[in-house]
Amino acid sequence: MSSIHDVAQAAGVSTATVSRALRGLPNVSEPTRLRIRGIADELGYVASSNASGLASGRTDTMGVAVPSVSRWFYTTVLEGVDSALRDAGFDMLLYNLASREGDRERTFHRTLLRKRTDAFIAIGVDFTSAERQQLLSLGHPILAIGGPVPGIRNIGVDDRAVARRATEHLIELGHRDIVHLGGPDDEGLNSRLPVDRRAGFMEAMREANLEIRDEWLLSGGFAVEASREVIAQVFRTSARPTAVFASSDEMAFGAVLAAQQSGLRVPEDVSVIGIDNHDMATSFGLTTIAQDPYAQGVLGANLLLGELRGEPARRTSIRADHELIVRESTAPPRRES
Amino acid sequence: MSSIHDVAQAAGVSTATVSRALRGLPNVSEPTRLRIRGIADELGYVASSNASGLASGRTDTMGVAVPSVSRWFYTTVLEGVDSALRDAGFDMLLYNLASREGDRERTFHRTLLRKRTDAFIAIGVDFTSAERQQLLSLGHPILAIGGPVPGIRNIGVDDRAVARRATEHLIELGHRDIVHLGGPDDEGLNSRLPVDRRAGFMEAMREANLEIRDEWLLSGGFAVEASREVIAQVFRTSARPTAVFASSDEMAFGAVLAAQQSGLRVPEDVSVIGIDNHDMATSFGLTTIAQDPYAQGVLGANLLLGELRGEPARRTSIRADHELIVRESTAPPRRES
DNA sequence: TTGAAAGCGCTACCAG
DNA sequence: CTGGTAGCGCTTTCAA
């Protein structure tokens, strides 16, 4: 591993010039720059980020926190963020905040706060107010994507409106007996999100004067398998619903699978609608409310990147778009019953 | 942001003592350590990783490269790696190597090689020999997980054996007309993997003296939707296969969905087997060859971490276990035809 | 357009 | 057990 000194010596210039040349700063003659670049390549020289970070105060790194890396929404946002970062030449330090409580505090202290990043994005994570304090005290641009985090601006869909729209679609089709599949996420998803979506569901139901049965307010933990199991039980009862509202596509997948395995046809016997427009939604023929997490990630990262470049900071949150996509999993309920 | 000087001054000791105290090194009296820790907390002091990295030569960071962050296998390995890193107090720098070619070279130069990491894990990525050179020249522990990378030790299942086992399961059930669903991965998956798995499939078929039809060597690109489409076409032909061997569970899901949408029952009309034991395999009732990517991630990370601590470096690759899990998607073919 | 030199904030060695 | 101090490898004025 050669250092800047080696390059300077080999080129017969000062380290200052090498530094300027390699970073493309002005005030270096073109021949000199070329010569230096050549020598640097030859020597395989790459600047140490620690050293330059220490000297300059910049790290060219963004911290990104996720509650889990195995859920479609998070990983899709992540890809968006990553893409924007790559374009900007930034690295990504990934923090998986899932896990045990104690662990989390250590993570915060030992890693998150070590001045290793220039900016920070939280995807779908909740913070305690102490954690928020610490984050904010870092004094660098911060942004949340996904569920709203109090005190931190965010990018995300209007969860209430989204759930409302989905429910209304079922109601418009003529459904009256609708199950709600939602509930908290075991993997530490943002806690407001399931609540807001449920509220949207209930609003739509109330406005249509439809009954909301307690035993039909189900929790699938935002996971396929748990949803499949809980919905399968409902399908076994005599009073079957004609439609399932799922707070996420993953839960909707569980419902579709449960239906098929119970010998019910979708949508003839039961309609299913989800939220997200997951990658696999097409394959399932799932009607859903689409959102675009990748775009949210790109937008979020670029916003932060812009502020790092000195653009004025935006203080307010951004509402991301959503859109109903009708596929084959929803249809009017069959006549009789 | 207070520096170590502030703490030293406030505590009336030298920066050296503060450094030792906070890192839990010996040779600091307990009262002193306590006092220093208290003051540091009060001041919200956290050591700058750049400064300590520069001074110590360690970064306590592991670089992790993935070809995509939206595939179950990669993300599951990632979770395992992450878990091990957290236990060790390491941070993770994530490199998504997907994307455009040119980009990739820049990524390598500008980021991967900046001495930002102490060790490096490549999950399911292929490297050009130039890239491999550069990586190795970093001089720090490296490991590949997933597909085998020439010149780099790796952890992963024996892809040939795995595919063989899956195929044999179908053959043992009495299937003779078996479709192979595999093919290269558009997202830049390791290139050996699909080839090896296909070889395993063909071996088993040949040994059983079964015909391998060219038009039944299908590619689903390791994606659900592409697989669903390509398999749906086959189901439409008159000479239907009685079983589908899929090189990954995701492709198997596509096959199951295609069958259902074609009015075929699984397994009565067609059997489907996959490889991986994906999270959703249970929900699909999918028979599969299970592997444990999470464990592979943990193992890999710990191996590297150990070497960083001075344990002797292992030079050979590690074969990860696999196991047949029979669920409801496979059964003997129906009599006639 | 270039060079000299003063740090950036820590760690690690050597004294005491 | 503690302090002094010389770097780690860059960036960034300030001069030339």
Side-chain angles (χ1 to χ4, degrees):
Chain A
M1 289 292 81
S2 46
S3 80
I4 196 171
H5 271 106
D6 305 330
V7 179
Q9 200 149 18
V13 297
S14 70
T15 61
T17 302
V18 173
S19 175
R20 283 185 293 242
L22 259 23
R23 286 183 300 151
L25 295 189
N27 298 329
V28 179
S29 73
E30 215 38 40
T32 310
R33 185 191 308 285
L34 254 35
R35 191 159 45 85
I36 292 180
R37 224 192 269 292
I39 292 177
D41 283 349
E42 217 169 293
L43 267 50
Y45 167 72
V46 196
S48 146
S49 71
N50 274 333
S52 65
L54 183 57
S56 70
R58 279 174 265 102
T59 63
D60 284 5
T61 300
M62 186 162 320
V64 180
V66 292
S68 142
V69 84
S70 59
R71 282 263 217 290
W72 179 81
F73 179 81
Y74 308 137
T75 57
T76 307
V77 173
L78 210 55
E79 299 237 275
V81 169
D82 178 78
S83 158
L85 293 186
R86 260 206 319 271
D87 288 347
F90 264 58
D91 280 353
M92 169 159 92
L93 220 24
L94 184 67
Y95 299 105
N96 188 161
L97 256 27
S99 79
R100 317 134 261 188
E101 279 307 308
D103 227 68
R104 184 163 163 149
E105 214 217 329
R106 263 181 50 212
T107 298
F108 248 81
H109 235 90
R110 300 193 42 173
T111 60
L112 264 181
L113 306 171
R114 294 201 291 159
K115 310 181 182 69
R116 309 199 64 176
T117 57
D118 293 341
F120 191 81
I121 287 190
I123 306 178
V125 271
D126 264 350
F127 293 115
T128 66
S129 64
E131 289 172 340
R132 219 174 333 123
Q133 281 311 313
Q134 299 189 288
L135 277 181
L136 291 170
S137 79
L138 283 181
H140 62 208
I142 286 189
L143 172 73
I145 298 185
V149 179
I152 301 183
R153 59 197 171 148
N154 101 312
I155 295 181
V157 295
D158 180 336
D159 288 306
R160 262 236 308 249
V162 163
R164 237 183 113 101
R165 185 74 198 84
T167 312
E168 284 168 358
H169 171 67
L170 295 175
I171 295 173
E172 283 160 14
L173 286 171
H175 291 279
R176 306 182 53 81
D177 302 315
I178 309 177
V179 168
H180 172 273
L181 189 49
D185 177 347
D186 292 333
E187 276 194 37
L189 174 83
N190 180 281
S191 58
R192 273 276 297 283
L193 188 142
V195 175
D196 287 351
R197 292 196 180 169
R198 183 152 48 100
F201 166 79
M202 294 176 92
E203 258 176 47
M205 291 293 276
R206 271 202 213 94
E207 269 173 31
N209 285 312
L210 295 181
E211 187 191 357
I212 301 172
R213 301 203 212 168
D214 274 356
E215 69 274 26
W216 282 3
L217 251 24
L218 269 28
S219 168
F222 285 81
V224 178
E225 182 56 14
S227 302
R228 187 182 67 96
E229 285 166 8
V230 73
I231 270 290
Q233 289 207 4
V234 171
F235 286 159
R236 266 184 235 115
T237 61
S238 49
R240 259 204 300 108
T242 63
V244 175
F245 159 89
S247 249
S248 81
D249 280 358
E250 271 135 325
M251 293 194 284
F253 296 158
V256 169
L257 290 170
Q260 290 169 342
Q261 289 159 11
S262 308
L264 299 175
R265 285 165 310 161
V266 175
E268 292 83 350
D269 300 316
V270 58
S271 285
V272 177
I273 190 168
I275 292 178
D276 273 352
N277 199 27
H278 187 290
D279 264 354
M280 289 177 64
T282 314
S283 304
F284 272 90
L286 185 72
T287 295
T288 190
I289 307 290
Q291 64 167 323
D292 190 345
Y294 185 90
Q296 293 172 30
V298 172
L299 177 62
N302 282 332
L303 191 116
L304 257 23
L305 255 9
E307 293 179 8
L308 251 20
R309 273 187 237 102
E311 291 169 19
R314 134 167 227 140
R315 305 195 59 78
T316 56
S317 292
I318 299 179
R319 278 282 76 100
D321 294 331
H322 64 263
E323 176 196 8
L324 173 68
I325 297 188
V326 180
R327 295 204 181 88
E328 298 82 46
S329 69
T330 50
R334 278 187 309 177
R335 271 304 145 73
E336 43 68 68
S337 143
Chain B
M1 290 294 80
S2 46
S3 79
I4 196 172
H5 272 107
D6 305 329
V7 179
Q9 199 149 19
V13 296
S14 70
T15 61
T17 302
V18 173
S19 177
R20 284 184 293 242
L22 260 23
R23 287 184 298 152
L25 295 189
N27 298 328
V28 180
S29 73
E30 215 38 40
T32 311
R33 186 193 307 286
L34 253 36
R35 191 158 45 86
I36 293 180
R37 224 192 267 293
I39 293 177
D41 283 349
E42 215 169 294
L43 266 51
Y45 167 74
V46 196
S48 147
S49 71
N50 274 335
S52 66
L54 183 56
S56 70
R58 278 175 267 102
T59 63
D60 283 5
T61 301
M62 186 163 317
V64 179
V66 291
S68 142
V69 82
S70 58
R71 283 263 217 290
W72 179 81
F73 179 81
Y74 309 136
T75 57
T76 307
V77 174
L78 210 55
E79 298 236 277
V81 169
D82 178 78
S83 159
L85 293 186
R86 258 207 318 272
D87 288 348
F90 264 59
D91 280 353
M92 168 159 91
L93 220 25
L94 183 68
Y95 299 105
N96 188 162
L97 256 28
S99 77
R100 318 133 259 188
E101 279 307 307
D103 227 67
R104 184 163 161 148
E105 215 218 328
R106 263 181 48 214
T107 298
F108 249 76
H109 235 90
R110 301 192 41 173
T111 60
L112 264 183
L113 307 172
R114 292 202 292 160
K115 312 182 181 66
R116 309 199 64 177
T117 57
D118 293 341
F120 191 79
I121 287 191
I123 306 178
V125 272
D126 265 347
F127 292 115
T128 66
S129 64
E131 289 172 340
R132 218 172 335 124
Q133 282 310 314
Q134 299 190 289
L135 277 181
L136 291 171
S137 79
L138 282 181
H140 62 207
I142 287 190
L143 172 73
I145 298 185
V149 179
I152 301 184
R153 59 197 170 148
N154 101 312
I155 294 180
V157 294
D158 179 337
D159 288 306
R160 264 239 302 253
V162 163
R164 237 182 113 100
R165 185 75 198 85
T167 312
E168 285 167 357
H169 171 67
L170 295 175
I171 295 174
E172 284 159 13
L173 286 172
H175 291 278
R176 307 183 52 81
D177 302 317
I178 308 177
V179 169
H180 172 273
L181 188 51
D185 178 347
D186 292 333
E187 275 193 38
L189 174 82
N190 180 280
S191 57
R192 272 274 300 283
L193 187 143
V195 175
D196 288 350
R197 292 196 179 168
R198 183 152 48 99
F201 166 79
M202 294 175 92
E203 259 176 46
M205 291 293 276
R206 274 202 212 92
E207 269 174 31
N209 285 312
L210 296 182
E211 186 191 0
I212 299 172
R213 304 204 211 167
D214 274 357
E215 69 272 27
W216 280 4
L217 251 23
L218 270 26
S219 168
F222 285 80
V224 179
E225 182 57 14
S227 301
R228 187 183 66 96
E229 285 167 8
V230 75
I231 270 290
Q233 289 207 6
V234 170
F235 286 158
R236 265 184 236 115
T237 61
S238 48
R240 256 203 301 109
T242 64
V244 176
F245 159 88
S247 248
S248 80
D249 281 358
E250 269 135 324
M251 293 194 284
F253 296 157
V256 170
L257 291 170
Q260 289 167 343
Q261 289 159 14
S262 306
L264 300 175
R265 284 163 309 161
V266 175
E268 291 84 351
D269 299 316
V270 59
S271 285
V272 178
I273 192 168
I275 292 178
D276 274 352
N277 199 26
H278 187 291
D279 262 354
M280 289 176 64
T282 314
S283 305
F284 271 89
L286 186 72
T287 294
T288 190
I289 308 289
Q291 64 168 321
D292 190 346
Y294 186 90
Q296 294 172 30
V298 172
L299 177 63
N302 282 333
L303 192 117
L304 257 23
L305 256 8
E307 293 179 7
L308 251 20
R309 272 187 237 103
E311 290 168 19
R314 134 168 227 140
R315 306 194 59 76
T316 56
S317 292
I318 299 179
R319 278 281 78 100
D321 294 331
H322 63 264
E323 175 196 8
L324 172 68
I325 296 187
V326 180
R327 295 204 181 87
E328 296 83 46
S329 70
T330 50
R334 277 186 308 176
R335 271 303 144 75
E336 44 69 64
S337 144

